[in-house]
Amino acid sequence: MKKIKLFWILSASLLIINLIAYLAVKGEAIRYISDILPVLCSFFAIYGMLSAYNGFKVHDMVRTAWLLILIGVTIDFLAESTYSILELGLSMDMDEAFPTLADILWCLGYLPFFAGLVILFNEYRKSGFPLGNIKMQGIILSIFLIISVTVFFLILTPIIKDEETTILSKIFSLYYPIGDILTVSMAMILLFLINQFGKGRNTLPWKTLSLGFFFFTISDLLYAYFDWNNTYDSGNFIDLGWNFGYLLIGIAGLYQRYLIDLVKERIKL
Amino acid sequence: MTVYHNQFAQKIFEIISPVLGESMAKGTIKVHCSKLGITEESISQKDLTLLSDNIRKGLVLFVGTEGSMLIASKIMKL
């Protein structure tokens, strides 16, 4: 538990540094902060997920799910690092060069994330635990439909209609919001299911994991909207959502490991 | 704090509630007893094998195969 508290303090410190830097630092330095912090935060996410994966000693579907999420954050770490190298090291104009190798990696990262969340949902379904009442399921479905329709009209339609953008750029620009909606939908379903368990220790890994994906998606969708309207630049507060998302995913991994270790300790006593 | 008159129900509750939380632990015991055609207050020694196996299947989700088997074996030994 000490490690998790330390991780929370570290996360809060990083976000405060991020916020202060965006408010106080101007010029080229902001680009460095904007590019390097996500690399650092995604690295912490790998650390947390690796900790969870190593906690499961027997290979089963639940371990596979956590492995897939670990693969997802590793791909994202590589994407963040590639983006930094291209922009800071090679001074590449990332808007002109879009899509880059970093975009290919980010798009690839959605697949293990989504697969991991689907496996967790499927395992929950098989576990015999309650799936919640129909009223709540209806509310969730309605929220999902409202978000999807909003994203379709505000983000997807302008991209599809744009005649100056190449087909390749359009494919990547559309892939991000669609991938986000699918991933966050699964994460929100898991959050709804785990909320039925109240505030127990077993709920913390899934809660923080789902919230991590939620913050990630909010930032991604805002980025897609602002970038398409040419109003996004390095140092935008949207970045905080990505960084917080990575850190929450890392914390989810540490909570999962803590839960596994706690059971082993208590039962062996 | 939930208190059962049946000693097995009480001990199972004490084993699984730190993992599942009190309300879900109570619900889990109730559901699995009902699947076996018994109530929480009528659990006997002979029900423990089936009951622990059913509870294990659900717990895999949160603590993995190893953790859930440890919990199931503790229930079996009651």
Side-chain angles (χ1 to χ4, degrees), chain A residues 74-89:
Chain A
T74 308
I75 293 173
D76 270 14
F77 168 75
L78 293 174
E80 299 289 359
S81 307
T82 306
Y83 189 94
S84 299
I85 292 166
L86 294 178
E87 190 171 53
L88 302 175

mmCIF file with all atom_site columns, all heavy atoms in Angstrom, chain A residues 74-89:
data_model
loop_
_atom_site.group_PDB
_atom_site.id
_atom_site.type_symbol
_atom_site.label_atom_id
_atom_site.label_alt_id
_atom_site.label_comp_id
_atom_site.label_asym_id
_atom_site.label_entity_id
_atom_site.label_seq_id
_atom_site.pdbx_PDB_ins_code
_atom_site.Cartn_x
_atom_site.Cartn_y
_atom_site.Cartn_z
_atom_site.occupancy
_atom_site.B_iso_or_equiv
_atom_site.pdbx_formal_charge
_atom_site.auth_seq_id
_atom_site.auth_comp_id
_atom_site.auth_asym_id
_atom_site.auth_atom_id
_atom_site.pdbx_PDB_model_num
ATOM 1   N N   . THR A 1 74 ? 2.668  -0.303 -23.508 1.00 0.00 ? 74 THR A N   1
ATOM 2   C CA  . THR A 1 74 ? 4.037  -0.356 -24.030 1.00 0.00 ? 74 THR A CA  1
ATOM 3   C C   . THR A 1 74 ? 4.073  0.243  -25.445 1.00 0.00 ? 74 THR A C   1
ATOM 4   O O   . THR A 1 74 ? 4.985  1.017  -25.774 1.00 0.00 ? 74 THR A O   1
ATOM 5   C CB  . THR A 1 74 ? 4.569  -1.813 -24.038 1.00 0.00 ? 74 THR A CB  1
ATOM 6   O OG1 . THR A 1 74 ? 4.385  -2.364 -22.739 1.00 0.00 ? 74 THR A OG1 1
ATOM 7   C CG2 . THR A 1 74 ? 6.022  -1.883 -24.418 1.00 0.00 ? 74 THR A CG2 1
ATOM 8   N N   . ILE A 1 75 ? 3.089  -0.104 -26.254 1.00 0.00 ? 75 ILE A N   1
ATOM 9   C CA  . ILE A 1 75 ? 3.007  0.458  -27.615 1.00 0.00 ? 75 ILE A CA  1
ATOM 10  C C   . ILE A 1 75 ? 2.818  1.988  -27.532 1.00 0.00 ? 75 ILE A C   1
ATOM 11  O O   . ILE A 1 75 ? 3.432  2.746  -28.282 1.00 0.00 ? 75 ILE A O   1
ATOM 12  C CB  . ILE A 1 75 ? 1.867  -0.207 -28.421 1.00 0.00 ? 75 ILE A CB  1
ATOM 13  C CG1 . ILE A 1 75 ? 2.190  -1.683 -28.677 1.00 0.00 ? 75 ILE A CG1 1
ATOM 14  C CG2 . ILE A 1 75 ? 1.648  0.512  -29.753 1.00 0.00 ? 75 ILE A CG2 1
ATOM 15  C CD1 . ILE A 1 75 ? 1.063  -2.482 -29.310 1.00 0.00 ? 75 ILE A CD1 1
ATOM 16  N N   . ASP A 1 76 ? 1.986  2.429  -26.586 1.00 0.00 ? 76 ASP A N   1
ATOM 17  C CA  . ASP A 1 76 ? 1.772  3.872  -26.407 1.00 0.00 ? 76 ASP A CA  1
ATOM 18  C C   . ASP A 1 76 ? 3.060  4.569  -25.971 1.00 0.00 ? 76 ASP A C   1
ATOM 19  O O   . ASP A 1 76 ? 3.346  5.694  -26.397 1.00 0.00 ? 76 ASP A O   1
ATOM 20  C CB  . ASP A 1 76 ? 0.670  4.122  -25.372 1.00 0.00 ? 76 ASP A CB  1
ATOM 21  C CG  . ASP A 1 76 ? -0.696 4.193  -26.028 1.00 0.00 ? 76 ASP A CG  1
ATOM 22  O OD1 . ASP A 1 76 ? -0.815 3.797  -27.210 1.00 0.00 ? 76 ASP A OD1 1
ATOM 23  O OD2 . ASP A 1 76 ? -1.654 4.653  -25.372 1.00 0.00 ? 76 ASP A OD2 1
ATOM 24  N N   . PHE A 1 77 ? 3.825  3.903  -25.103 1.00 0.00 ? 77 PHE A N   1
ATOM 25  C CA  . PHE A 1 77 ? 5.111  4.466  -24.672 1.00 0.00 ? 77 PHE A CA  1
ATOM 26  C C   . PHE A 1 77 ? 6.044  4.640  -25.878 1.00 0.00 ? 77 PHE A C   1
ATOM 27  O O   . PHE A 1 77 ? 6.697  5.670  -26.045 1.00 0.00 ? 77 PHE A O   1
ATOM 28  C CB  . PHE A 1 77 ? 5.763  3.545  -23.622 1.00 0.00 ? 77 PHE A CB  1
ATOM 29  C CG  . PHE A 1 77 ? 7.199  3.857  -23.317 1.00 0.00 ? 77 PHE A CG  1
ATOM 30  C CD1 . PHE A 1 77 ? 7.545  4.959  -22.546 1.00 0.00 ? 77 PHE A CD1 1
ATOM 31  C CD2 . PHE A 1 77 ? 8.219  3.051  -23.817 1.00 0.00 ? 77 PHE A CD2 1
ATOM 32  C CE1 . PHE A 1 77 ? 8.871  5.249  -22.278 1.00 0.00 ? 77 PHE A CE1 1
ATOM 33  C CE2 . PHE A 1 77 ? 9.547  3.337  -23.551 1.00 0.00 ? 77 PHE A CE2 1
ATOM 34  C CZ  . PHE A 1 77 ? 9.878  4.444  -22.777 1.00 0.00 ? 77 PHE A CZ  1
ATOM 35  N N   . LEU A 1 78 ? 6.058  3.619  -26.743 1.00 0.00 ? 78 LEU A N   1
ATOM 36  C CA  . LEU A 1 78 ? 6.888  3.700  -27.945 1.00 0.00 ? 78 LEU A CA  1
ATOM 37  C C   . LEU A 1 78 ? 6.393  4.822  -28.862 1.00 0.00 ? 78 LEU A C   1
ATOM 38  O O   . LEU A 1 78 ? 7.186  5.532  -29.480 1.00 0.00 ? 78 LEU A O   1
ATOM 39  C CB  . LEU A 1 78 ? 6.875  2.356  -28.701 1.00 0.00 ? 78 LEU A CB  1
ATOM 40  C CG  . LEU A 1 78 ? 7.550  1.180  -27.978 1.00 0.00 ? 78 LEU A CG  1
ATOM 41  C CD1 . LEU A 1 78 ? 7.333  -0.118 -28.747 1.00 0.00 ? 78 LEU A CD1 1
ATOM 42  C CD2 . LEU A 1 78 ? 9.048  1.446  -27.807 1.00 0.00 ? 78 LEU A CD2 1
ATOM 43  N N   . ALA A 1 79 ? 5.072  4.974  -28.937 1.00 0.00 ? 79 ALA A N   1
ATOM 44  C CA  . ALA A 1 79 ? 4.483  6.030  -29.771 1.00 0.00 ? 79 ALA A CA  1
ATOM 45  C C   . ALA A 1 79 ? 4.863  7.414  -29.221 1.00 0.00 ? 79 ALA A C   1
ATOM 46  O O   . ALA A 1 79 ? 5.275  8.296  -29.989 1.00 0.00 ? 79 ALA A O   1
ATOM 47  C CB  . ALA A 1 79 ? 2.966  5.875  -29.804 1.00 0.00 ? 79 ALA A CB  1
ATOM 48  N N   . GLU A 1 80 ? 4.744  7.582  -27.889 1.00 0.00 ? 80 GLU A N   1
ATOM 49  C CA  . GLU A 1 80 ? 5.088  8.868  -27.270 1.00 0.00 ? 80 GLU A CA  1
ATOM 50  C C   . GLU A 1 80 ? 6.579  9.185  -27.481 1.00 0.00 ? 80 GLU A C   1
ATOM 51  O O   . GLU A 1 80 ? 6.936  10.328 -27.784 1.00 0.00 ? 80 GLU A O   1
ATOM 52  C CB  . GLU A 1 80 ? 4.792  8.842  -25.753 1.00 0.00 ? 80 GLU A CB  1
ATOM 53  C CG  . GLU A 1 80 ? 3.339  8.613  -25.354 1.00 0.00 ? 80 GLU A CG  1
ATOM 54  C CD  . GLU A 1 80 ? 2.410  9.786  -25.652 1.00 0.00 ? 80 GLU A CD  1
ATOM 55  O OE1 . GLU A 1 80 ? 2.883  10.825 -26.163 1.00 0.00 ? 80 GLU A OE1 1
ATOM 56  O OE2 . GLU A 1 80 ? 1.202  9.641  -25.384 1.00 0.00 ? 80 GLU A OE2 1
ATOM 57  N N   . SER A 1 81 ? 7.425  8.148  -27.328 1.00 0.00 ? 81 SER A N   1
ATOM 58  C CA  . SER A 1 81 ? 8.867  8.342  -27.510 1.00 0.00 ? 81 SER A CA  1
ATOM 59  C C   . SER A 1 81 ? 9.175  8.701  -28.954 1.00 0.00 ? 81 SER A C   1
ATOM 60  O O   . SER A 1 81 ? 9.980  9.607  -29.224 1.00 0.00 ? 81 SER A O   1
ATOM 61  C CB  . SER A 1 81 ? 9.634  7.073  -27.129 1.00 0.00 ? 81 SER A CB  1
ATOM 62  O OG  . SER A 1 81 ? 9.271  6.667  -25.843 1.00 0.00 ? 81 SER A OG  1
ATOM 63  N N   . THR A 1 82 ? 8.538  7.995  -29.892 1.00 0.00 ? 82 THR A N   1
ATOM 64  C CA  . THR A 1 82 ? 8.764  8.263  -31.321 1.00 0.00 ? 82 THR A CA  1
ATOM 65  C C   . THR A 1 82 ? 8.354  9.691  -31.656 1.00 0.00 ? 82 THR A C   1
ATOM 66  O O   . THR A 1 82 ? 9.074  10.404 -32.373 1.00 0.00 ? 82 THR A O   1
ATOM 67  C CB  . THR A 1 82 ? 7.933  7.267  -32.186 1.00 0.00 ? 82 THR A CB  1
ATOM 68  O OG1 . THR A 1 82 ? 8.251  5.953  -31.756 1.00 0.00 ? 82 THR A OG1 1
ATOM 69  C CG2 . THR A 1 82 ? 8.242  7.417  -33.654 1.00 0.00 ? 82 THR A CG2 1
ATOM 70  N N   . TYR A 1 83 ? 7.194  10.103 -31.125 1.00 0.00 ? 83 TYR A N   1
ATOM 71  C CA  . TYR A 1 83 ? 6.700  11.464 -31.394 1.00 0.00 ? 83 TYR A CA  1
ATOM 72  C C   . TYR A 1 83 ? 7.718  12.499 -30.902 1.00 0.00 ? 83 TYR A C   1
ATOM 73  O O   . TYR A 1 83 ? 8.024  13.456 -31.610 1.00 0.00 ? 83 TYR A O   1
ATOM 74  C CB  . TYR A 1 83 ? 5.356  11.661 -30.684 1.00 0.00 ? 83 TYR A CB  1
ATOM 75  C CG  . TYR A 1 83 ? 4.647  12.939 -31.068 1.00 0.00 ? 83 TYR A CG  1
ATOM 76  C CD1 . TYR A 1 83 ? 3.700  12.964 -32.086 1.00 0.00 ? 83 TYR A CD1 1
ATOM 77  C CD2 . TYR A 1 83 ? 4.924  14.143 -30.404 1.00 0.00 ? 83 TYR A CD2 1
ATOM 78  C CE1 . TYR A 1 83 ? 3.053  14.132 -32.437 1.00 0.00 ? 83 TYR A CE1 1
ATOM 79  C CE2 . TYR A 1 83 ? 4.275  15.322 -30.757 1.00 0.00 ? 83 TYR A CE2 1
ATOM 80  C CZ  . TYR A 1 83 ? 3.340  15.308 -31.765 1.00 0.00 ? 83 TYR A CZ  1
ATOM 81  O OH  . TYR A 1 83 ? 2.694  16.475 -32.106 1.00 0.00 ? 83 TYR A OH  1
ATOM 82  N N   . SER A 1 84 ? 8.245  12.273 -29.689 1.00 0.00 ? 84 SER A N   1
ATOM 83  C CA  . SER A 1 84 ? 9.230  13.211 -29.117 1.00 0.00 ? 84 SER A CA  1
ATOM 84  C C   . SER A 1 84 ? 10.494 13.273 -29.964 1.00 0.00 ? 84 SER A C   1
ATOM 85  O O   . SER A 1 84 ? 11.021 14.352 -30.222 1.00 0.00 ? 84 SER A O   1
ATOM 86  C CB  . SER A 1 84 ? 9.623  12.779 -27.704 1.00 0.00 ? 84 SER A CB  1
ATOM 87  O OG  . SER A 1 84 ? 8.503  12.794 -26.886 1.00 0.00 ? 84 SER A OG  1
ATOM 88  N N   . ILE A 1 85 ? 10.955 12.104 -30.393 1.00 0.00 ? 85 ILE A N   1
ATOM 89  C CA  . ILE A 1 85 ? 12.192 12.068 -31.194 1.00 0.00 ? 85 ILE A CA  1
ATOM 90  C C   . ILE A 1 85 ? 11.972 12.803 -32.519 1.00 0.00 ? 85 ILE A C   1
ATOM 91  O O   . ILE A 1 85 ? 12.802 13.602 -32.953 1.00 0.00 ? 85 ILE A O   1
ATOM 92  C CB  . ILE A 1 85 ? 12.649 10.602 -31.434 1.00 0.00 ? 85 ILE A CB  1
ATOM 93  C CG1 . ILE A 1 85 ? 13.112 9.985  -30.109 1.00 0.00 ? 85 ILE A CG1 1
ATOM 94  C CG2 . ILE A 1 85 ? 13.754 10.527 -32.482 1.00 0.00 ? 85 ILE A CG2 1
ATOM 95  C CD1 . ILE A 1 85 ? 13.262 8.474  -30.140 1.00 0.00 ? 85 ILE A CD1 1
ATOM 96  N N   . LEU A 1 86 ? 10.824 12.544 -33.148 1.00 0.00 ? 86 LEU A N   1
ATOM 97  C CA  . LEU A 1 86 ? 10.554 13.167 -34.444 1.00 0.00 ? 86 LEU A CA  1
ATOM 98  C C   . LEU A 1 86 ? 10.428 14.691 -34.308 1.00 0.00 ? 86 LEU A C   1
ATOM 99  O O   . LEU A 1 86 ? 10.982 15.437 -35.114 1.00 0.00 ? 86 LEU A O   1
ATOM 100 C CB  . LEU A 1 86 ? 9.273  12.592 -35.064 1.00 0.00 ? 86 LEU A CB  1
ATOM 101 C CG  . LEU A 1 86 ? 9.296  11.121 -35.472 1.00 0.00 ? 86 LEU A CG  1
ATOM 102 C CD1 . LEU A 1 86 ? 7.941  10.687 -36.027 1.00 0.00 ? 86 LEU A CD1 1
ATOM 103 C CD2 . LEU A 1 86 ? 10.376 10.861 -36.510 1.00 0.00 ? 86 LEU A CD2 1
ATOM 104 N N   . GLU A 1 87 ? 9.707  15.123 -33.268 1.00 0.00 ? 87 GLU A N   1
ATOM 105 C CA  . GLU A 1 87 ? 9.468  16.562 -33.145 1.00 0.00 ? 87 GLU A CA  1
ATOM 106 C C   . GLU A 1 87 ? 10.653 17.306 -32.531 1.00 0.00 ? 87 GLU A C   1
ATOM 107 O O   . GLU A 1 87 ? 11.062 18.350 -33.036 1.00 0.00 ? 87 GLU A O   1
ATOM 108 C CB  . GLU A 1 87 ? 8.209  16.838 -32.316 1.00 0.00 ? 87 GLU A CB  1
ATOM 109 C CG  . GLU A 1 87 ? 7.816  18.314 -32.379 1.00 0.00 ? 87 GLU A CG  1
ATOM 110 C CD  . GLU A 1 87 ? 6.457  18.611 -31.753 1.00 0.00 ? 87 GLU A CD  1
ATOM 111 O OE1 . GLU A 1 87 ? 6.241  18.234 -30.594 1.00 0.00 ? 87 GLU A OE1 1
ATOM 112 O OE2 . GLU A 1 87 ? 5.645  19.233 -32.431 1.00 0.00 ? 87 GLU A OE2 1
ATOM 113 N N   . LEU A 1 88 ? 11.198 16.750 -31.444 1.00 0.00 ? 88 LEU A N   1
ATOM 114 C CA  . LEU A 1 88 ? 12.283 17.462 -30.754 1.00 0.00 ? 88 LEU A CA  1
ATOM 115 C C   . LEU A 1 88 ? 13.660 17.148 -31.347 1.00 0.00 ? 88 LEU A C   1
ATOM 116 O O   . LEU A 1 88 ? 14.468 18.047 -31.536 1.00 0.00 ? 88 LEU A O   1
ATOM 117 C CB  . LEU A 1 88 ? 12.293 17.111 -29.261 1.00 0.00 ? 88 LEU A CB  1
ATOM 118 C CG  . LEU A 1 88 ? 11.010 17.391 -28.480 1.00 0.00 ? 88 LEU A CG  1
ATOM 119 C CD1 . LEU A 1 88 ? 11.125 16.877 -27.053 1.00 0.00 ? 88 LEU A CD1 1
ATOM 120 C CD2 . LEU A 1 88 ? 10.671 18.885 -28.486 1.00 0.00 ? 88 LEU A CD2 1
ATOM 121 N N   . GLY A 1 89 ? 13.895 15.873 -31.644 1.00 0.00 ? 89 GLY A N   1
ATOM 122 C CA  . GLY A 1 89 ? 15.203 15.470 -32.157 1.00 0.00 ? 89 GLY A CA  1
ATOM 123 C C   . GLY A 1 89 ? 15.394 15.814 -33.615 1.00 0.00 ? 89 GLY A C   1
ATOM 124 O O   . GLY A 1 89 ? 16.437 16.348 -34.008 1.00 0.00 ? 89 GLY A O   1
#
